[in-house]
Amino acid sequence: MLLSDKFGRAITDLRISITDHCNYKCVYCRTGNEGALYGDLPFADYLRMTRVLAGLGVKKVRLTGGEPLLRKGIVGFVRDLSQLRSADGEPLEIALTTNGHLLAEMAQPLKGAGLHRVTVSMDAVDPERFARITRVPNGYANVLAGVRAAKRAGLEPVKVNCVLLRGFNEDQIIPFGKFARDEGVVLRFIEFMPLEEDRVWSPDVVVPLDEILTRMVEFRPLVEIPHAHSETARRYRFDDGIGEIGIIAPVTHPFCGHCSRIRITSDGKIRTCLFSVWDHDLYAQIRRGATDAQLEQFIRGVIQKKEARHHIGEPDFVPASRTMVHIGG
Ligand code: SAM
């Protein structure tokens, strides 16, 4: 039987963090003092976990981190993933989330190995601002080259994710709209969630969906694109048909009722929600010599513990046991 949780949500999407290391120190994500906190596993272990999960209904796998392109051997890993089949015999959809710093050289080899799509995180389209946010000099040129290389390699649609923080980069909304049109990328604004190392989150820092739309419409009218309930983003196209933007609004418009995701951390723990206060040690099962059938049984038990929803902004909110950079966004 395929995986679904006790609320009837089918589990079809897997995100794997393949390293806890990152070469950026984005101010809202990492304090700058904390580097990698957790180890990582041989690719063979992630591959086995994915194979077992694919047999249980997972259809999409997204590689993330840390920064996944820092991990040597990622191209071979993508090639091995591309050989796996879902429960209905189809190849898995393989995607990558990256800061793009190393993407220019890797886009084509990754495509050749079987990667389908890439999402690049960028929180400013102004090089100086970009450097202040990432705390890495001259990153912007590399990331732009990475976005363009991904397009040339056919890793389409290339998506660019931008996390907006009030008083910090909200003035980038319209420049990002122009960027999406000029570069032919799909833009996704993401509301800032309380998953940062510094615990600076407050509702006032979040730039909500409605405000992003109001601001963007000052630039050009938008037309909403009908979307499936299970999609996390509300999607819009500019009135002349050039350029798409989307808004992922987990804070002001939560989509937990349609969540189809689980995550595996770099050290092999399953997380059933970004906001989980515990994780489940799948790798410990492998270390103990579990058979595939035993791994399946363990996973089925874990999925039944998937949380109904997050409690961001509520009085009973308890911070997640790991921050975003150590989970894999
Ligand atoms: N290094 C890769 C990258 O930059 O895309 C993958 C890991 S990074 C943690 C994944 C995504 O999480 C990035 O787009 C980042 O902006 C986003 N992110 C980090 N902290 C966040 C937060 N508190 N709320 C919302 N998104 C966050």
Side-chain angles (χ1 to χ4, degrees):
M1 218 175 59
L2 300 185
L3 277 183
S4 66
D5 70 6
K6 62 176 184 281
F7 305 104
R9 294 173 298 192
I11 305 302
T12 54
D13 294 12
L14 168 66
R15 297 186 167 212
I16 311 177
S17 170
I18 58 171
T19 175
D20 203 42
H21 289 272
C22 191
N23 45 354
Y24 279 9
K25 292 181 277 187
C26 298
V27 287
Y28 64 88
C29 187
R30 275 177 50 181
T31 57
N33 303 322
E34 304 277 18
L37 296 178
Y38 303 96
D40 49 41
L41 305 181
F43 281 124
D45 291 319
Y46 300 132
L47 191 67
R48 181 171 175 210
M49 293 172 181
T50 311
R51 179 172 51 71
V52 170
L53 279 158
L56 293 174
V58 161
K59 297 175 179 200
K60 294 186 198 166
V61 53
R62 178 173 290 276
L63 306 184
T64 178
E67 171 45 44
L69 295 186
L70 288 178
R71 182 82 195 258
K72 300 268 177 294
I74 183 175
V75 174
F77 181 47
V78 168
R79 191 171 299 114
D80 291 342
L81 285 174
S82 73
Q83 301 305 310
L84 298 181
R85 293 293 175 265
S86 67
D88 44 17
E90 297 295 321
L92 302 181
E93 191 180 320
I94 309 169
L96 170 79
T97 297
T98 171
N99 60 30
H101 194 83
L102 301 171
L103 186 59
E105 287 139 48
M106 296 189 69
Q108 189 57 58
L110 285 166
K111 173 74 181 176
L115 187 72
H116 295 110
R117 292 190 291 108
V118 68
T119 299
V120 181
S121 304
M122 290 176 77
D123 300 317
V125 285
D126 162 61
E128 274 175 34
R129 179 81 62 90
F130 190 86
R132 280 211 301 279
I133 293 174
T134 57
R135 291 184 285 185
V136 168
N138 307 322
Y140 184 77
N142 287 359
V143 176
L144 184 58
V147 167
R148 291 176 176 166
K151 280 194 67 79
R152 275 198 307 279
L155 290 166
E156 298 269 20
V158 175
K159 289 189 186 158
V160 168
N161 277 0
C162 167
V163 177
L164 289 173
L165 276 76
R166 182 158 325 277
F168 180 68
N169 63 347
E170 79 220 88
D171 62 332
Q172 295 287 296
I173 294 174
I174 291 179
F176 261 116
K178 292 182 181 147
F179 182 86
R181 290 163 64 83
D182 293 347
E183 298 293 333
V185 295
V186 171
L187 186 66
R188 295 278 186 258
F189 292 108
I190 305 178
E191 288 178 345
F192 182 47
M193 293 179 276
L195 283 167
E196 73 293 5
E197 283 190 348
D198 255 355
R199 302 290 178 213
V200 295
W201 190 90
S202 83
D204 307 339
V205 186
V206 179
V207 183
L209 178 141
D210 294 344
E211 187 178 328
I212 300 171
L213 284 180
T214 307
R215 190 89 186 89
M216 192 61 94
V217 166
E218 287 167 18
F219 165 53
R220 271 204 89 97
L222 292 167
V223 181
E224 186 158 7
I225 302 171
H227 66 283
H229 275 307
S230 54
E231 275 183 78
T232 51
R234 309 272 178 117
R235 299 165 56 204
Y236 306 83
R237 143 173 339 116
F238 289 105
D239 62 334
D240 61 356
I242 301 170
E244 179 187 320
I245 71 153
I247 304 174
I248 301 178
V251 180
T252 63
H253 296 72
F255 38 82
C256 306
H258 301 286
C259 182
S260 54
R261 291 181 186 167
I262 59 164
R263 293 176 160 81
I264 293 178
T265 59
S266 61
D267 55 344
K269 312 259 167 76
I270 298 178
R271 290 187 69 87
T272 47
C273 173
L274 274 174
F275 293 93
S276 292
V277 290
W278 51 71
D279 35 43
H280 308 272
D281 200 346
L282 184 59
Y283 183 57
Q285 303 295 315
I286 292 183
R287 261 197 334 255
R288 279 187 210 125
T291 62
D292 284 357
Q294 287 167 330
L295 292 184
E296 280 185 17
Q297 199 183 2
F298 178 81
I299 291 166
R300 285 187 192 283
V302 166
I303 296 305
Q304 293 318 307
K305 297 180 187 147
K306 186 168 164 67
E307 296 79 346
R309 63 184 186 91
H310 68 63
H311 294 263
I312 300 176
E314 297 173 21
D316 61 348
F317 178 75
V318 179
S321 55
R322 290 193 190 202
T323 56
M324 187 71 123
V325 71
H326 304 299
I327 300 172

